[in-house]
Coordinates of all heavy atoms in Angstrom, one line a residue:
M207 N 168.4 107.4 127.0 CA 168.7 106.3 126.1 C 168.0 106.5 124.8 O 166.8 106.9 124.7 CB 168.1 105.0 126.8 CG 168.6 103.7 126.2 SD 168.1 102.3 127.2 CE 169.7 101.7 127.7
T208 N 168.7 106.2 123.7 CA 168.1 106.3 122.4 C 167.6 105.0 121.9 O 167.9 103.9 122.5 CB 169.1 106.9 121.4 OG1 170.1 105.8 121.2 CG2 169.8 108.1 121.9
S209 N 166.8 105.0 120.7 CA 166.3 103.7 120.2 C 167.5 102.8 119.8 O 167.3 101.5 119.8 CB 165.4 104.0 119.0 OG 166.2 104.6 118.0
S210 N 168.6 103.3 119.5 CA 169.8 102.5 119.2 C 170.3 101.7 120.4 O 171.1 100.8 120.3 CB 170.9 103.3 118.5 OG 171.4 104.2 119.4
D211 N 169.9 102.2 121.6 CA 170.3 101.5 122.8 C 169.4 100.3 123.2 O 169.7 99.6 124.2 CB 170.4 102.5 124.0 CG 171.4 103.6 123.8 OD1 172.5 103.2 123.2 OD2 171.2 104.7 124.1
V212 N 168.4 100.1 122.5 CA 167.5 99.0 122.8 C 168.2 97.7 122.5 O 168.9 97.5 121.5 CB 166.2 99.1 121.9 CG1 165.4 97.8 122.0 CG2 165.4 100.3 122.3
V213 N 168.1 96.8 123.5 CA 168.7 95.4 123.3 C 167.7 94.5 122.8 O 166.6 94.3 123.3 CB 169.2 95.0 124.7 CG1 169.9 93.6 124.6 CG2 170.2 96.0 125.3
H214 N 168.0 93.9 121.6 CA 167.2 92.9 121.0 C 167.6 91.5 121.4 O 168.7 91.1 121.1 CB 167.2 93.1 119.5 CG 166.8 94.4 119.0 ND1 165.5 94.7 118.7 CD2 167.4 95.6 118.8 CE1 165.3 95.9 118.3 NE2 166.5 96.5 118.4
V215 N 166.6 90.8 122.0 CA 166.9 89.4 122.5 C 166.0 88.4 121.8 O 164.8 88.6 121.8 CB 166.8 89.3 124.0 CG1 167.1 87.9 124.5 CG2 167.6 90.3 124.7
A216 N 166.6 87.4 121.1 CA 165.8 86.4 120.5 C 165.7 85.2 121.5 O 166.7 84.8 122.0 CB 166.4 85.9 119.2
V217 N 164.5 84.7 121.7 CA 164.3 83.5 122.5 C 163.8 82.4 121.5 O 162.8 82.5 120.9 CB 163.2 83.7 123.6 CG1 163.0 82.4 124.3 CG2 163.6 84.8 124.6
V218 N 164.7 81.4 121.4 CA 164.4 80.3 120.5 C 163.8 79.1 121.2 O 164.4 78.6 122.1 CB 165.7 79.8 119.7 CG1 165.3 78.8 118.6 CG2 166.4 81.0 119.2
G219 N 162.5 78.8 120.9 CA 161.8 77.8 121.6 C 160.8 78.5 122.6 O 161.3 79.0 123.6
Y220 N 159.5 78.5 122.3 CA 158.5 79.0 123.2 C 157.7 77.9 123.8 O 156.6 77.7 123.6 CB 157.6 80.0 122.5 CG 156.7 80.8 123.4 CD1 157.2 81.9 124.2 CD2 155.4 80.4 123.6 CE1 156.3 82.5 125.0 CE2 154.5 81.1 124.4 CZ 155.0 82.2 125.2 OH 154.2 82.8 126.0
G221 N 158.5 77.0 124.6 CA 157.8 76.0 125.3 C 157.8 76.3 126.8 O 157.6 77.5 127.1
Y222 N 157.8 75.3 127.6 CA 157.7 75.5 129.0 C 158.7 76.5 129.5 O 158.4 77.4 130.3 CB 157.9 74.1 129.7 CG 157.9 74.2 131.2 CD1 156.6 74.3 131.9 CD2 159.0 74.3 132.0 CE1 156.6 74.4 133.3 CE2 159.0 74.5 133.4 CZ 157.8 74.5 134.0 OH 157.8 74.6 135.4
W223 N 160.0 76.3 129.2 CA 161.1 77.1 129.7 C 161.2 78.4 128.9 O 161.4 79.5 129.6 CB 162.4 76.3 129.7 CG 163.4 76.7 130.7 CD1 164.6 77.3 130.5 CD2 163.2 76.7 132.1 NE1 165.2 77.6 131.7 CE2 164.4 77.2 132.7 CE3 162.2 76.3 133.0 CZ2 164.6 77.3 134.1 CZ3 162.4 76.4 134.3 CH2 163.5 76.9 134.9
G224 N 161.1 78.4 127.6 CA 161.3 79.6 126.8 C 160.2 80.6 127.2 O 160.5 81.8 127.2
S225 N 159.0 80.2 127.5 CA 157.9 81.1 127.8 C 158.3 81.9 129.1 O 157.9 83.1 129.2 CB 156.6 80.4 127.9 OG 156.6 79.5 129.0
K226 N 159.0 81.3 130.0 CA 159.4 82.0 131.2 C 160.5 83.0 130.9 O 160.4 84.1 131.4 CB 160.0 81.0 132.2 CG 158.9 80.0 132.7 CD 159.5 79.1 133.7 CE 158.5 77.9 134.1 NZ 157.1 78.4 134.3
H227 N 161.4 82.7 130.0 CA 162.4 83.7 129.5 C 161.7 84.9 128.9 O 162.0 86.1 129.2 CB 163.4 83.1 128.5 CG 164.4 82.2 129.2 ND1 165.5 82.7 129.8 CD2 164.5 80.9 129.2 CE1 166.2 81.7 130.3 NE2 165.7 80.6 129.9
V228 N 160.7 84.6 128.1 CA 160.0 85.7 127.4 C 159.2 86.6 128.4 O 159.2 87.8 128.4 CB 159.0 85.2 126.3 CG1 158.1 86.3 125.7 CG2 159.8 84.5 125.2
R229 N 158.6 85.9 129.4 CA 157.8 86.7 130.4 C 158.7 87.6 131.1 O 158.4 88.8 131.3 CB 157.1 85.7 131.4 CG 156.5 86.4 132.5 CD 155.6 85.4 133.4 NE 156.4 84.2 133.8 CZ 157.2 84.2 134.9 NH1 157.5 85.3 135.5 NH2 157.8 83.1 135.2
V230 N 159.9 87.1 131.6 CA 160.8 88.0 132.4 C 161.4 89.1 131.5 O 161.4 90.2 131.9 CB 161.9 87.1 133.1 CG1 162.9 88.0 133.7 CG2 161.2 86.2 134.1
L231 N 161.9 88.7 130.3 CA 162.6 89.6 129.4 C 161.6 90.8 129.0 O 162.0 91.9 128.9 CB 163.1 89.0 128.2 CG 164.4 88.1 128.4 CD1 164.6 87.2 127.2 CD2 165.6 89.0 128.7
S232 N 160.3 90.4 128.9 CA 159.3 91.4 128.5 C 159.1 92.5 129.6 O 158.5 93.5 129.3 CB 158.0 90.7 128.2 OG 158.1 89.9 127.1
T233 N 159.6 92.2 130.8 CA 159.4 93.2 131.9 C 160.6 94.1 132.0 O 160.6 95.1 132.8 CB 159.2 92.6 133.2 OG1 160.4 91.9 133.6 CG2 158.0 91.6 133.2
V234 N 161.7 93.8 131.2 CA 162.9 94.6 131.4 C 162.9 95.8 130.4 O 162.7 95.6 129.2 CB 164.2 93.7 131.0 CG1 165.5 94.5 131.2 CG2 164.2 92.4 131.9
P235 N 163.1 97.0 131.0 CA 163.1 98.2 130.1 C 164.2 98.1 129.0 O 165.3 97.6 129.3 CB 163.4 99.3 131.1 CG 163.1 98.8 132.5 CD 163.4 97.3 132.4
D236 N 163.8 98.7 127.9 CA 164.8 98.8 126.8 C 165.2 97.4 126.2 O 166.3 97.3 125.6 CB 166.0 99.7 127.2 CG 165.5 101.0 127.6 OD1 164.7 101.6 126.8 OD2 166.0 101.5 128.6
V237 N 164.4 96.4 126.5 CA 164.7 95.1 125.8 C 163.5 94.8 124.9 O 162.3 94.9 125.3 CB 164.8 94.0 126.9 CG1 164.8 92.6 126.2 CG2 166.2 94.2 127.6
E238 N 163.8 94.5 123.7 CA 162.8 94.0 122.7 C 163.0 92.5 122.5 O 164.1 92.1 122.2 CB 162.8 94.8 121.4 CG 162.2 96.2 121.6 CD 162.0 96.9 120.3 OE1 162.2 96.3 119.2 OE2 161.6 98.1 120.4
V239 N 161.9 91.8 122.6 CA 162.0 90.3 122.6 C 161.4 89.8 121.2 O 160.4 90.3 120.7 CB 161.2 89.7 123.7 CG1 161.3 88.2 123.7 CG2 161.6 90.2 125.1
M240 N 162.2 88.9 120.6 CA 161.8 88.2 119.4 C 161.7 86.7 119.7 O 162.6 86.2 120.4 CB 162.8 88.5 118.3 CG 163.1 89.9 118.1 SD 164.4 90.3 117.0 CE 165.9 89.9 117.9
V241 N 160.6 86.1 119.3 CA 160.4 84.7 119.6 C 160.5 83.8 118.3 O 159.9 84.2 117.3 CB 159.0 84.5 120.3 CG1 158.8 83.0 120.6 CG2 158.9 85.3 121.6
V242 N 161.3 82.8 118.4 CA 161.5 81.9 117.3 C 161.0 80.5 117.7 O 161.4 80.0 118.8 CB 162.9 81.8 116.9 CG1 163.1 80.9 115.6 CG2 163.5 83.1 116.6
D243 N 160.1 79.9 117.0 CA 159.6 78.5 117.3 C 159.2 77.9 116.0 O 158.6 78.6 115.1 CB 158.5 78.5 118.3 CG 158.4 77.2 119.0 OD1 158.1 76.1 118.3 OD2 158.6 77.1 120.2
Q244 N 159.5 76.7 115.8 CA 159.1 76.0 114.5 C 157.6 75.7 114.5 O 157.1 75.3 113.5 CB 160.0 74.7 114.3 CG 159.8 73.7 115.4 CD 160.8 72.5 115.2 OE1 161.7 72.6 114.5 NE2 160.6 71.5 116.0
D245 N 157.0 75.7 115.7 CA 155.6 75.4 115.8 C 154.7 76.7 115.8 O 154.8 77.5 116.7 CB 155.4 74.7 117.1 CG 153.9 74.2 117.4 OD1 153.0 74.8 116.8 OD2 153.8 73.3 118.1
R246 N 154.0 76.9 114.7 CA 153.2 78.1 114.6 C 152.2 78.3 115.7 O 151.8 79.4 116.1 CB 152.5 78.2 113.2 CG 153.5 78.4 112.1 CD 152.8 78.5 110.7 NE 153.7 78.5 109.7 CZ 154.4 79.5 109.3 NH1 154.2 80.7 109.9 NH2 155.3 79.4 108.3
G247 N 151.7 77.2 116.3 CA 150.8 77.3 117.4 C 151.4 77.9 118.6 O 150.8 78.7 119.3
R248 N 152.7 77.6 118.8 CA 153.4 78.1 120.0 C 153.6 79.6 119.7 O 153.6 80.4 120.6 CB 154.8 77.4 120.2 CG 154.7 76.0 120.5 CD 153.8 75.7 121.8 NE 154.3 76.5 122.9 CZ 153.5 76.9 123.9 NH1 152.2 76.5 124.0 NH2 154.0 77.6 124.9
L249 N 153.9 80.0 118.5 CA 154.1 81.4 118.2 C 152.8 82.2 118.4 O 152.8 83.3 118.9 CB 154.6 81.6 116.7 CG 155.9 81.1 116.4 CD1 156.3 81.3 114.9 CD2 157.0 81.7 117.3
A250 N 151.7 81.6 118.0 CA 150.4 82.3 118.2 C 150.1 82.5 119.7 O 149.6 83.5 120.2 CB 149.2 81.4 117.6
E251 N 150.5 81.5 120.5 CA 150.4 81.6 122.0 C 151.3 82.7 122.5 O 150.9 83.5 123.4 CB 150.8 80.3 122.6 CG 150.7 80.2 124.1 CD 149.3 80.2 124.7 OE1 148.4 79.9 123.9 OE2 149.2 80.4 125.9
A252 N 152.5 82.8 122.0 CA 153.4 83.9 122.4 C 152.8 85.2 122.1 O 152.9 86.2 122.9 CB 154.8 83.7 121.7
K253 N 152.3 85.4 120.9 CA 151.7 86.6 120.5 C 150.5 87.0 121.3 O 150.2 88.2 121.6 CB 151.3 86.5 119.0 CG 151.2 87.8 118.3 CD 152.5 88.5 118.1 CE 152.3 89.9 117.5 NZ 153.5 90.8 117.6
R254 N 149.7 86.0 121.7 CA 148.5 86.2 122.5 C 148.9 86.8 123.9 O 148.4 87.7 124.4 CB 147.7 84.9 122.7 CG 146.4 84.8 122.0 CD 145.5 83.7 122.5 NE 146.2 82.4 122.5 CZ 146.4 81.6 121.5 NH1 145.9 81.9 120.3 NH2 147.0 80.4 121.6
N255 N 150.0 86.1 124.5 CA 150.4 86.5 125.8 C 151.2 87.8 125.8 O 151.2 88.5 126.8 CB 151.3 85.4 126.4 CG 150.4 84.1 126.7 OD1 149.2 84.2 126.9 ND2 151.1 83.0 126.7
F256 N 152.0 88.0 124.7 CA 152.9 89.2 124.7 C 152.8 89.8 123.3 O 153.6 89.6 122.4 CB 154.3 88.7 125.0 CG 154.5 88.0 126.3 CD1 154.5 86.6 126.3 CD2 154.6 88.7 127.5 CE1 154.6 85.9 127.5 CE2 154.7 88.0 128.7 CZ 154.7 86.6 128.7
P257 N 151.7 90.7 123.1 CA 151.5 91.2 121.8 C 152.6 92.0 121.2 O 152.7 92.2 120.0 CB 150.2 92.1 122.0 CG 149.6 91.6 123.3 CD 150.7 91.0 124.1
A258 N 153.5 92.5 122.1 CA 154.6 93.4 121.6 C 155.7 92.6 120.9 O 156.6 93.2 120.2 CB 155.1 94.3 122.7
V259 N 155.8 91.3 121.2 CA 157.0 90.5 120.7 C 156.8 90.2 119.2 O 155.7 90.1 118.7 CB 157.2 89.2 121.4 CG1 157.4 89.4 122.9 CG2 156.1 88.2 121.1
D260 N 157.9 90.2 118.5 CA 158.0 89.7 117.1 C 158.1 88.2 117.1 O 158.8 87.7 118.0 CB 159.2 90.3 116.3 CG 158.9 91.7 115.9 OD1 157.8 92.2 115.9 OD2 159.9 92.4 115.6
V261 N 157.4 87.5 116.2 CA 157.5 86.1 116.2 C 157.8 85.6 114.8 O 157.5 86.2 113.8 CB 156.2 85.4 116.6 CG1 155.8 85.8 118.1 CG2 155.0 85.8 115.7
T262 N 158.6 84.5 114.7 CA 158.9 83.9 113.4 C 159.3 82.4 113.6 O 159.7 82.0 114.7 CB 160.1 84.7 112.8 OG1 160.5 84.0 111.5 CG2 161.4 84.6 113.7
T263 N 159.2 81.7 112.5 CA 159.6 80.3 112.5 C 161.1 80.1 112.2 O 161.6 79.0 112.3 CB 158.8 79.4 111.6 OG1 158.8 80.0 110.3 CG2 157.3 79.3 112.0
H264 N 161.7 81.2 111.7 CA 163.1 81.1 111.2 C 164.1 81.9 112.0 O 164.0 83.2 112.0 CB 163.2 81.4 109.7 CG 162.5 80.4 108.9 ND1 161.2 80.5 108.4 CD2 163.0 79.2 108.3 CE1 161.0 79.4 107.7 NE2 162.0 78.6 107.6
L265 N 165.1 81.3 112.6 CA 166.1 82.0 113.3 C 166.8 83.0 112.4 O 167.1 84.1 112.9 CB 167.2 81.0 113.8 CG 168.3 81.5 114.7 CD1 167.8 82.2 115.9 CD2 169.3 80.4 115.0
D266 N 167.0 82.7 111.2 CA 167.7 83.7 110.3 C 167.0 85.0 110.1 O 167.6 86.0 109.8 CB 167.9 83.1 108.9 CG 168.9 82.0 108.9 OD1 169.7 81.9 109.8 OD2 168.9 81.2 107.9
D267 N 165.7 85.0 110.4 CA 164.9 86.3 110.3 C 165.3 87.3 111.4 O 165.2 88.5 111.2 CB 163.4 86.0 110.5 CG 162.8 85.3 109.3 OD1 163.4 85.3 108.2 OD2 161.7 84.7 109.5
V268 N 165.8 86.8 112.5 CA 166.1 87.7 113.7 C 167.6 87.8 114.0 O 168.0 88.8 114.6 CB 165.3 87.2 114.9 CG1 163.8 87.2 114.8 CG2 165.8 85.8 115.4
L269 N 168.4 86.9 113.5 CA 169.8 86.9 113.8 C 170.5 88.3 113.4 O 171.3 88.8 114.2 CB 170.6 85.8 113.2 CG 170.6 84.4 113.9 CD1 171.5 83.4 113.3 CD2 171.0 84.6 115.4
P270 N 170.2 88.9 112.3 CA 170.9 90.1 111.9 C 170.7 91.2 113.0 O 171.5 92.1 113.1 CB 170.2 90.5 110.6 CG 169.7 89.2 110.0 CD 169.3 88.4 111.2
R271 N 169.6 91.2 113.7 CA 169.4 92.3 114.6 C 169.4 91.9 116.1 O 169.2 92.7 117.0 CB 168.1 93.1 114.3 CG 166.8 92.3 114.4 CD 165.7 93.1 113.8 NE 164.6 92.2 113.5 CZ 163.4 92.2 114.1 NH1 163.2 93.0 115.1 NH2 162.5 91.3 113.8
A272 N 169.7 90.6 116.3 CA 169.7 90.1 117.7 C 171.1 90.4 118.4 O 172.1 90.2 117.8 CB 169.5 88.6 117.7
H273 N 171.0 91.0 119.6 CA 172.2 91.2 120.4 C 172.5 90.0 121.2 O 173.6 89.8 121.6 CB 172.0 92.4 121.3 CG 171.8 93.7 120.5 ND1 170.7 94.5 120.5 CD2 172.7 94.4 119.8 CE1 170.8 95.5 119.8 NE2 172.0 95.5 119.3
A274 N 171.5 89.3 121.5 CA 171.6 88.1 122.4 C 170.6 87.0 122.0 O 169.5 87.4 121.5 CB 171.5 88.4 123.8
V275 N 170.9 85.8 122.2 CA 170.0 84.7 121.9 C 169.9 83.7 123.0 O 170.9 83.3 123.6 CB 170.4 83.9 120.6 CG1 169.5 82.7 120.3 CG2 170.5 84.8 119.4
V276 N 168.6 83.4 123.4 CA 168.4 82.4 124.5 C 167.9 81.2 123.7 O 167.0 81.2 123.0 CB 167.3 82.9 125.5 CG1 167.0 81.7 126.4 CG2 167.7 84.1 126.2
V277 N 168.7 80.1 123.9 CA 168.3 78.8 123.3 C 167.5 78.0 124.3 O 168.0 77.6 125.3 CB 169.5 78.0 122.8 CG1 169.1 76.7 122.2 CG2 170.3 78.9 121.8
A278 N 166.2 77.8 124.0 CA 165.3 77.1 124.9 C 164.5 76.0 124.2 O 163.3 75.8 124.3 CB 164.3 78.0 125.6
T279 N 165.3 75.3 123.3 CA 164.8 74.1 122.6 C 165.3 72.9 123.2 O 166.3 72.9 124.0 CB 165.1 74.2 121.1 OG1 166.6 74.2 121.0 CG2 164.6 75.5 120.4
P280 N 164.8 71.7 122.9 CA 165.3 70.5 123.5 C 166.8 70.3 123.1 O 167.2 70.6 122.0 CB 164.4 69.4 122.8 CG 163.1 70.1 122.5 CD 163.5 71.5 122.1
P281 N 167.5 69.7 124.0 CA 169.0 69.5 123.8 C 169.4 68.9 122.5 O 170.4 69.3 121.9 CB 169.4 68.7 125.0 CG 168.4 68.9 126.1 CD 167.1 69.2 125.3
A282 N 168.6 68.0 122.0 CA 168.9 67.3 120.7 C 169.0 68.3 119.5 O 169.6 68.0 118.5 CB 167.9 66.2 120.4
S283 N 168.3 69.4 119.7 CA 168.3 70.4 118.6 C 169.5 71.4 118.7 O 169.6 72.2 117.8 CB 167.0 71.2 118.6 OG 166.9 72.0 119.8
H284 N 170.2 71.3 119.8 CA 171.4 72.3 119.9 C 172.5 71.9 119.0 O 172.8 70.7 118.8 CB 171.8 72.3 121.4 CG 170.8 72.7 122.4 ND1 171.0 72.8 123.7 CD2 169.5 73.1 122.2 CE1 169.9 73.2 124.3 NE2 169.0 73.4 123.4
A285 N 173.3 72.9 118.6 CA 174.4 72.7 117.7 C 175.5 72.0 118.5 O 175.7 72.3 119.7 CB 174.9 73.9 117.1
Ligands
NAD322 N1 161.5 72.4 131.6 C1 162.4 72.8 132.6 O1 162.1 72.8 133.8 C2 163.8 73.2 132.2 C3 164.6 73.7 133.2 C4 165.9 74.2 132.8 C5 166.3 74.0 131.5 N2 165.5 73.5 130.6 C6 166.0 73.4 129.2 O2 165.2 74.2 128.4 C7 165.1 73.6 127.1 C8 163.7 73.6 126.6 O3 162.9 72.7 127.5 P1 161.4 72.9 127.6 O4 161.0 72.0 128.8 O5 160.9 74.3 127.6 O6 160.9 72.1 126.3 P2 159.5 72.2 125.5 O7 159.3 71.0 124.7 O8 158.4 72.6 126.5 O9 159.6 73.5 124.5 C9 160.5 73.4 123.4 C10 160.1 74.4 122.3 O10 161.1 74.4 121.3 C11 160.5 74.4 120.0 N3 161.5 73.8 119.1 C12 162.0 72.6 119.1 N4 163.0 72.5 118.2 C13 163.1 73.7 117.6 C14 163.9 74.3 116.6 N5 164.8 73.5 116.0 N6 163.7 75.6 116.2 C15 162.8 76.3 116.8 N7 162.0 75.9 117.8 C16 162.1 74.6 118.2 C17 159.2 73.5 120.2 O11 158.3 73.7 119.2 C18 158.8 73.9 121.6 O12 157.8 75.0 121.5 C19 165.8 72.3 127.1 O13 167.1 72.4 126.7 C20 165.8 72.0 128.6 O14 166.9 71.1 129.0 C21 164.2 73.1 130.9

């Protein structure tokens, strides 16, 4: 497998449920996880628990390289 075969997955919302997605995805070979949350405290927590993940407050920062997106924010925030 080459580096171009890595699957980039963005998890939007690092709360109760999103943190579980990040935990599991972080164990999957050849998956790189990016975490998006509007709360910088939650991003700091994600980085503490999973130093390898990229974190950002803006979905637009990760969409260009994301192959898949997990939406784990409250339903009212869904499109
Ligand atoms: N908690 C559960 O047991 C459970 C089970 C199944 C599904 N879900 C679903 O998962 C989703 C999240 O639930 P939760 O319990 O993890 O919520 P939560 O409140 O624990 O976490 C939500 C996170 O999303 C972030 N967030 C909110 N709006 C955002 C936005 N616009 N952009 C970026 N980040 C944003 C918040 O800062 C927070 O960190 C909901 O849709 C819920 O229905 C939850």
